[in-house]
Amino acid sequence: MSVHRPEGLSDVFMEPTEAPAAPPTLPTLGLVGWLRWAWRQLTSMRVALLLLMLLAVAAVPGTVWPQRAQDTAKVATYIADHPTTGPWLDRLGFFDVYSSVWFSAIYILLFVSLVGCILPRTKVHLAGVRGRPPRAPRRFTRFPAQGSGVVDAPPSQVADHATTVLRAGWRWLPFVPTYRVDTRDEGNGTLSVSAERGYLRETGNLVFHLALVGLLISVATGQVLHYRGQAIVVQGRGFANAQVDYDTFEQGTAFTPSSLVPFTLRLDEFESRFDPVTLQSRDFTAHVTLTNPGEEPVEETIKVNHPLDAGGAKVYLQGNGYAPDITVRDASGQVAFSGPTPFLPQDEVYTSRGVVKVPDVSGDQEQIGLVGYLLPTVDVRETSFGPAYASVNPQPDDPALVLAVWQGNLGLDTGVPQNVYELDESRMTQLMDEDDKPVTLVVRPGETVDLPEGMGTLTFNELTRYVALDLRHDPALPFVLVFALLAFAGLATSLFAPRRRLWLRLAPGAEGDDGRTVVTAAGLARGDDVGLQPELDRVLAQVLARSADRPPVAPRGPTSGEASP
Amino acid sequence: MTTGDLSTLLVWGAATAFTIALVAYSIDLARIAERAQKRVPEAALVGSGSTRPATAVAGSEDQSAPGRSARAEGIARSTTLLGLVLLFAGIVLRGIAAGRWPTANMYEFTIVGVFVAVLVLAVVQRRRVIAFVGVVVMGISVLALVLALNAFYIQADQVQPALQSYWLILHVGVAIIATGIFTVAFAAAVLQVLRSFREEALVDGPAVTVGTPGRSDRFRRWVGGPRFGWLEQVPGSRELEALSFRLNAIAFVLWTFTLIGGAIWAEHAWGRYWGWDPKEVGTFVAWVVYAAYLHARTTRGWSGRRASYFVFVGYAVVLANFTVVNLVVTGKHSYSGI
Ligand code: HEM
């Protein structure tokens, strides 16, 4: 049997059991010859080793330099801070390591090498599983496990018995034979019994490697088909799964809008719990109402670690904060703005920063901008500069809005998209009081304060909460999981299932010693296997012991070729 | 005293016990070295006369072999066990004090990891003390415990919502066990390399090299010299290779589980199963290096000593993944509390 063996693979198990190997033929080089040579190199063990180490090394820069995929801003800062090296690093892909040409080249070559190595081995293994255990080698002396003995029974009877011993089942799986057994007649009355177990080891190895290929393909498929979006949803408000409803949206190249199932989601209530002493977060729960198209609304909860499945997508609770509900009336008493505005938490005690833009004032009044903080539990301290406000607890025990007031043109009509959390101050002026200090409004829920210079009033209606949701749809997820688990199972099997070959040679006793058999045995295992010699000893002991006291058996059935793996 | 303080006290107790064990192992090792030094000419003769020095030396199996110090070994053994009991109690009390499974931060990770490493050491040594492996594992363990108590320590407490998952037990627990086993496997690999150099030196004779000696020749001569006589007392390099491999194989499978489990958890907690976060990269790199080790073992010309160099690299990555990535690099995995 010609065995496929990747160049450089050192594996006793694949050595031919009889020595003579064909003399190496020098390749006749030509284009085909070179290609063949290159392929053999690529699929060799040495190159696989090299590629693995390269992959390990190539993955490291991604932790050393900031990565665009995770933090674009950080990359921009880095390049700005390093005007000479930055652009070069950028050109060489050091800010996009995992999608760079060199990183991709390494893992693609590795996978090509893997496939080139594994497919032929799979073929050989399938043939091996269907074939007979390899014939007993002529000499046993070079094998790692050996044994011998003499028994009072003719070879044929010993062979039968050895077959029974070897084919005995597992303790916990009595119907599955341990070994596959094959008996051959070597002439001169000598029989040999070949036995092999542990085909699962090679099977596991192949499954592991092929599962890695499956994993790679699944991950790539997911990349192409996925979508992901972020949305901020305020308490009492809804959200529809449509591209326009997202604050940010990102999609794979083969994404089709039809994979967005148009469900709607409403945030009914948001609960948070913090440790009273350390103020660390302990629990966040969003109570939502989910309405799938054509179905009754259902109440659900979303927690960190417990995403909600909706319309084939998963909805994650990524963040939360406060959205004060404010009404601004202009000088003429008209409502110019009303509704909740999300403020972004800046620290552990939810000191939250936000901007309220009031463009729709009536008449020819100037537009109003409010910038400042929401403090869920306010603490006021008098300082020489006047009162200082700080939040002391993330829970809304005594919330207050502390705002500065700007007047002028908000710049919303320039056509340039604006950050809703920043005020463009270029065409606005901040309002000052008589002492020429900036005006600071402090408002508590239910309170109404006058805006300076008779611009109108501001009412803090109530404090509502919002959640930042992250939606992701990746149709390849189940495949990724299955291939990962297959790889794991294959790996464990290939490392822990022993693969062993045992051979027994049953020679008739010397002249005049008829009816006796000289038994010699040898064993071979893949990898190191401390259990090989004990197993050989056990088998030999059983063969020697019981063959002797069994009565001569009647007709002999065929023993070869009927075993199972 | 609160339960948390008691736990800390017990961990200090364990650190003390392990320190004594470390000293005892070192004395044992020194004794062996001393005796071996006296017997060098004879040992060298045995070694060079035999084609398989591995088996020639592996014969000296019995406990009372000359050179070992029975007292030191006894002390090492009992303090190891004592330390294990104290540490175990400390871990359990820590869990009780925090009201959860104690594997949520670097402090807890380190103390449980040390427990696993020493437990594996105790199991490996249950029939035969290998003083060198004891010294290496105990050295790392004492260092790690002191570091944990002084640098990583934080008050026992509940955890943030992102960590409230059974994966805290599965993913982190398995990672800890894997790290502990990698530690012992690393110690065995170091010993294997030394031993294998010495075997070569004894077979070739230190003076065989012609021409200018390379670095590895010099190293071989050094290890072949009398100072390393104690190496005669340890199992043969093939045996140590087998031990290191078996441990590494188990740890590698557990590491694979850590990787997959981490990805499943990340899918729940962070909304993606893989994002090349620094901790993910570190875990991946370590995994690839150990995969390379497994491949090296079966590659012609790389098996044996050369393959074990991969274990050194792999173990260094595992340690860096725990220390550098947690403390220096910023990523999503910032749960150390420091
Ligand atoms: C692909 C994803 C992940 C990978 C590859 C990964 C890998 C690892 C590894 C190897 C360790 C142990 C060694 C060490 O700390 O250096 C570890 C520890 C830990 N992991 Fe993960 N992990 C992943 C996801 C997660 C997720 C999603 C969480 C929780 C939300 C998490 C929480 C932890 C914690 C708490 C520890 C131990 C404490 C510490 O390192 O300070 N891991 N992770």
Side-chain angles (χ1 to χ4, degrees):
Chain A
M1 182 168 65
S2 94
V3 173
H4 169 81
R5 180 146 48 110
E7 290 256 319
L9 174 66
S10 148
D11 179 0
V12 274
F13 227 64
M14 291 202 145
E15 307 284 351
T17 41
E18 289 306 327
T25 48
L26 285 174
T28 45
L29 296 181
L31 180 62
V32 178
W34 277 109
L35 283 177
R36 193 171 292 150
W37 179 84
W39 177 250
R40 263 218 305 276
Q41 288 306 308
L42 182 61
T43 58
S44 74
M45 287 301 280
R46 261 182 219 92
V47 171
L49 201 57
L50 181 76
L51 287 171
L52 272 171
M53 284 319 274
L54 271 180
L55 185 66
V57 172
V60 174
T63 58
V64 177
W65 284 283
Q67 297 296 298
R68 276 215 180 82
Q70 281 141 14
D71 200 338
T72 342
K74 226 167 158 184
V75 174
T77 318
Y78 186 93
I79 296 179
D81 291 350
H82 301 79
T84 39
T85 51
W88 273 104
L89 287 173
D90 195 14
R91 233 160 282 160
L92 294 175
F94 278 86
F95 303 118
D96 300 284
V97 167
Y98 306 106
S99 50
S100 70
V101 180
W102 39 275
F103 190 77
S104 315
I106 294 170
Y107 75 75
I108 290 172
L109 276 179
L110 184 62
F111 272 88
V112 171
S113 162
L114 188 156
V115 171
C117 186
I118 289 306
L119 282 186
R121 278 187 78 166
T122 310
K123 224 174 85 197
V124 170
H125 181 56
L126 286 179
V129 168
R130 275 184 261 112
R132 303 161 71 181
R135 133 193 333 272
R138 207 163 300 130
R139 275 175 301 133
F140 283 173
T141 43
R142 67 185 178 91
F143 287 93
Q146 290 166 34
S148 60
V150 181
V151 63
D152 258 332
S156 62
Q157 195 180 326
V158 180
D160 277 355
H161 182 57
T163 304
T164 320
V165 168
L166 286 163
R167 296 202 57 200
W170 301 83
R171 199 177 314 145
W172 34 272
L173 252 185
F175 301 109
V176 179
T178 324
Y179 275 92
R180 271 179 59 193
V181 190
D182 187 26
T183 306
R184 290 179 172 92
D185 191 341
E186 297 191 337
N188 297 331
T190 302
L191 295 176
S192 73
V193 178
S194 319
E196 179 156 13
R197 67 174 273 192
Y199 293 81
L200 259 184
R201 188 185 177 96
E202 177 78 352
T203 310
N205 187 7
L206 297 171
V207 165
F208 166 70
H209 283 91
L210 292 173
L212 288 186
V213 179
L215 190 62
L216 185 73
I217 295 174
S218 314
V219 170
T221 312
Q223 282 293 312
V224 166
L225 294 176
H226 86 293
Y227 74 76
R228 159 175 220 141
Q230 270 116 11
I232 282 191
V233 182
V234 176
Q235 197 169 334
R237 304 278 168 115
F239 158 83
N241 188 28
Q243 226 162 313
V244 292
D245 252 25
Y246 287 103
D247 302 325
T248 62
F249 193 80
E250 175 227 330
Q251 64 201 53
T253 45
F255 161 83
T256 48
S258 63
S259 60
L260 282 173
V261 178
F263 61 84
T264 61
L265 201 64
R266 197 186 64 217
L267 179 65
D268 300 320
E269 206 194 330
F270 180 75
E271 267 179 75
S272 60
R273 212 159 44 73
F274 297 87
D275 187 287
V277 180
T278 62
L279 301 181
Q280 282 184 353
S281 57
R282 289 290 173 255
D283 185 47
F284 296 131
T285 310
H287 298 273
V288 298
T289 302
L290 170 71
T291 315
N292 274 311
E295 285 176 29
E296 288 297 303
V298 280
E299 292 191 353
E300 300 276 4
T301 58
I302 312 176
K303 289 162 89 87
V304 183
N305 269 315
H306 298 278
L308 169 69
D309 283 301
K314 278 204 190 127
V315 187
Y316 299 89
L317 182 60
Q318 286 300 54
N320 64 79
Y322 294 102
D325 187 351
I326 300 167
T327 301
V328 177
R329 290 192 168 75
D330 61 20
S332 54
Q334 303 278 7
V335 172
F337 175 91
S338 187
T341 307
F343 276 46
L344 297 182
Q346 311 287 312
D347 56 20
E348 286 211 319
V349 285
Y350 279 61
T351 306
S352 308
R353 203 186 122 81
V355 172
V356 182
K357 297 177 186 179
V358 187
D360 299 325
V361 283
S362 56
D364 50 2
Q365 298 174 39
E366 290 202 88
Q367 294 180 326
I368 303 169
L370 302 161
V371 186
Y373 290 94
L374 172 90
L375 308 169
T377 301
V378 68
D379 175 60
V380 190
R381 209 166 305 146
E382 290 302 329
T383 69
S384 48
F385 306 104
Y389 303 90
S391 173
V392 291
N393 195 320
Q395 294 287 31
D397 291 337
D398 180 16
L401 271 170
V402 179
L403 299 171
V405 187
W406 294 69
Q407 194 179 31
N409 187 335
L410 288 166
L412 296 176
D413 48 6
T414 54
V416 183
Q418 268 198 1
N419 184 340
V420 293
Y421 300 104
E422 295 297 337
L423 187 70
D424 176 2
E425 297 161 358
S426 57
R427 284 187 282 165
M428 304 199 79
T429 48
Q430 188 170 10
L431 295 181
M432 302 292 174
D433 61 14
E434 304 86 59
D435 306 335
D436 212 26
K437 283 215 206 109
V439 173
T440 305
L441 303 178
V442 181
V443 207
R444 291 192 158 79
E447 291 180 355
T448 298
V449 294
D450 287 331
L451 295 175
E453 302 182 6
M455 288 159 59
T457 60
L458 181 150
T459 309
F460 185 176
N461 304 318
E462 60 170 333
L463 187 59
T464 57
R465 312 196 72 149
Y466 72 86
V467 293
L469 296 181
D470 204 339
L471 274 87
R472 194 161 130 263
H473 168 69
D474 181 348
L477 228 43
F479 295 93
V480 174
L481 180 64
V482 166
F483 282 119
L485 294 181
L486 267 180
F488 179 72
L491 179 71
T493 314
S494 79
L495 282 175
F496 302 136
R499 175 126 192 224
R500 296 177 184 147
R501 277 178 193 159
L502 295 184
W503 292 283
L504 299 176
R505 178 161 285 121
L506 314 169
E511 278 319 321
D513 204 1
D514 251 1
R516 301 192 78 188
T517 302
V518 178
V519 183
T520 47
L524 180 66
R526 163 171 278 171
D528 27 52
D529 185 343
V530 277
L532 179 65
Q533 185 70 46
E535 178 145 304
L536 181 95
D537 294 344
R538 180 186 59 81
V539 167
L540 196 60
Q542 284 186 17
V543 169
L544 295 182
R546 289 209 313 199
S547 302
D549 40 61
R550 272 205 341 188
V553 266
R556 247 183 87 208
T559 55
S560 64
E562 49 159 349
S564 58
Chain B
M1 191 181 332
T2 65
T3 320
D5 294 339
L6 188 58
S7 155
T8 312
L9 206 63
L10 285 168
V11 176
W12 271 114
T16 314
F18 288 159
T19 310
I20 299 172
L22 173 62
V23 173
Y25 278 126
S26 307
I27 291 174
D28 192 19
L29 189 61
R31 282 289 150 69
I32 296 168
E34 207 176 291
R35 301 279 166 90
Q37 213 152 349
K38 288 197 197 113
R39 290 184 307 129
V40 160
E42 176 205 350
L45 212 71
V46 172
S48 55
S50 145
T51 44
R52 289 181 65 186
T55 40
V57 191
S60 57
E61 275 262 2
D62 68 324
Q63 285 289 333
S64 57
R68 4 194 86 241
S69 159
R71 268 258 311 288
E73 269 179 25
I75 294 175
R77 249 180 219 284
S78 44
T79 46
T80 303
L81 287 184
L82 176 68
L84 276 177
V85 171
L86 291 176
L87 193 54
F88 184 72
I91 293 168
V92 170
L93 285 185
R94 172 92 186 171
I96 293 172
R100 57 169 169 75
W101 202 259
T103 51
N105 48 56
M106 284 184 79
Y107 172 69
E108 290 163 8
F109 191 101
T110 310
I111 62 173
V112 180
V114 167
F115 177 76
V116 173
V118 177
L119 189 67
V120 173
L121 177 75
V123 171
V124 167
Q125 312 229 55
R126 72 187 177 280
R127 257 175 294 146
R128 181 176 176 201
V129 170
I130 308 173
F132 180 84
V133 178
V135 169
V136 174
V137 174
M138 275 304 170
I140 296 178
S141 298
V142 170
L143 205 71
L145 277 189
V146 172
L147 204 66
L149 284 161
N150 287 312
F152 300 162
Y153 182 79
I154 58 165
Q155 205 70 36
D157 203 351
Q158 298 267 303
V159 289
Q160 60 190 84
L163 294 183
Q164 292 166 12
S165 165
Y166 54 88
W167 283 106
L168 184 64
I169 304 171
L170 282 176
H171 163 73
V172 188
V174 172
I176 294 172
I177 297 173
T179 307
I181 300 179
F182 274 139
T183 303
V184 184
F186 165 74
V190 173
L191 190 55
Q192 171 214 337
V193 167
L194 291 177
R195 170 75 211 211
S196 131
F197 270 118
R198 181 158 182 99
E199 281 163 13
E200 252 173 43
L202 294 191
V203 172
D204 299 346
V208 166
T209 27
V210 263
T212 44
R215 193 176 310 147
S216 83
D217 289 322
R218 246 176 288 142
F219 186 70
R220 187 170 307 138
R221 213 176 295 164
W222 187 54
V223 177
R227 187 179 312 207
F228 282 84
W230 54 270
L231 278 173
E232 312 280 313
Q233 303 296 321
V234 306
S237 66
R238 285 207 40 207
E239 249 180 280
L240 287 167
E241 204 280 334
L243 173 67
S244 164
F245 165 68
R246 238 168 285 139
L247 292 172
N248 273 317
I250 297 170
F252 181 69
V253 169
L254 295 176
W255 195 252
T256 310
F257 181 87
T258 305
L259 194 79
I260 298 176
I264 297 176
W265 191 7
E267 172 67 25
H268 286 282
W270 299 336
R272 87 285 186 293
Y273 55 84
W274 194 265
W276 296 109
D277 177 80
K279 178 72 84 183
E280 292 169 357
V281 175
T283 309
F284 173 75
V285 171
W287 191 84
V288 170
V289 172
Y290 277 104
Y293 159 69
L294 293 180
H295 283 85
R297 283 187 83 250
T298 61
T299 303
R300 206 172 296 267
W302 279 86
S303 56
R305 195 165 64 213
R306 284 174 98 181
S308 60
Y309 296 150
F310 287 82
V311 176
F312 299 174
V313 179
Y315 188 63
V317 177
V318 168
L319 285 189
N321 189 30
F322 181 56
T323 53
V324 180
V325 171
N326 282 9
L327 301 174
V328 184
V329 187
T330 48
K332 274 184 164 305
H333 241 97
S334 31
Y335 299 119
S336 62
I338 320 174

